[in-house]
Amino acid sequence: MSTNNISGSIPVGIGELKSLYIVDLSDNKLNGSIPSEIEGAISLSELKLQKNFLSGRIPSQIEKCSSLTSLIVSHNKLTGSISAAIANLTNLQFGPILKTFPATLFNPSPKLQNRN
């Protein structure tokens, strides 16, 4: 369903789709946040949401999608740091671009968190 000019938000009912393997909604006009209910899509292996207008954070509940091998959310309006819970996705394959991010993005040091 990529590049179809789809607008609106990702329905929370996506979590009810237990046998959903691949979601490719890239290059559309989706807005709103990635619903935390995504955790219910336990068979999900690929989640491609790049090139939309999604905002907010990547929900920490995504760690429940243990089959996830690909998570692509670039070119959106996402904010905040990436939850450390994403480290629980042992099947997730990171591309070379990830090596350019500072380690503090995933595990902020206590010194940074307590700075005034």
Side-chain angles (χ1 to χ4, degrees), residues 41-116:
I42 55 175
S43 299
L44 191 62
S45 64
E46 295 182 26
L47 182 58
K48 299 177 182 181
L49 300 172
Q50 72 270 25
K51 296 184 181 177
N52 279 290
F53 300 98
L54 297 171
S55 58
R57 297 176 180 246
I58 298 171
S60 60
Q61 292 88 342
I62 205 157
E63 75 169 301
K64 304 279 193 211
C65 300
S66 59
S67 298
L68 201 61
T69 59
S70 179
L71 173 63
I72 305 172
V73 294
S74 60
H75 298 92
N76 278 291
K77 297 179 180 186
L78 297 171
T79 58
S81 61
I82 298 171
S83 169
I86 205 164
N88 295 328
L89 296 171
T90 56
N91 294 318
L92 195 60
Q93 299 172 7
F94 295 105
I97 189 77
L98 188 61
K99 295 176 184 172
T100 65
F101 289 112
T104 56
L105 182 65
F106 298 99
N107 191 10
S109 99
K111 291 178 184 176
L112 292 176
Q113 290 177 350
N114 296 326
R115 232 180 209 184
N116 291 328

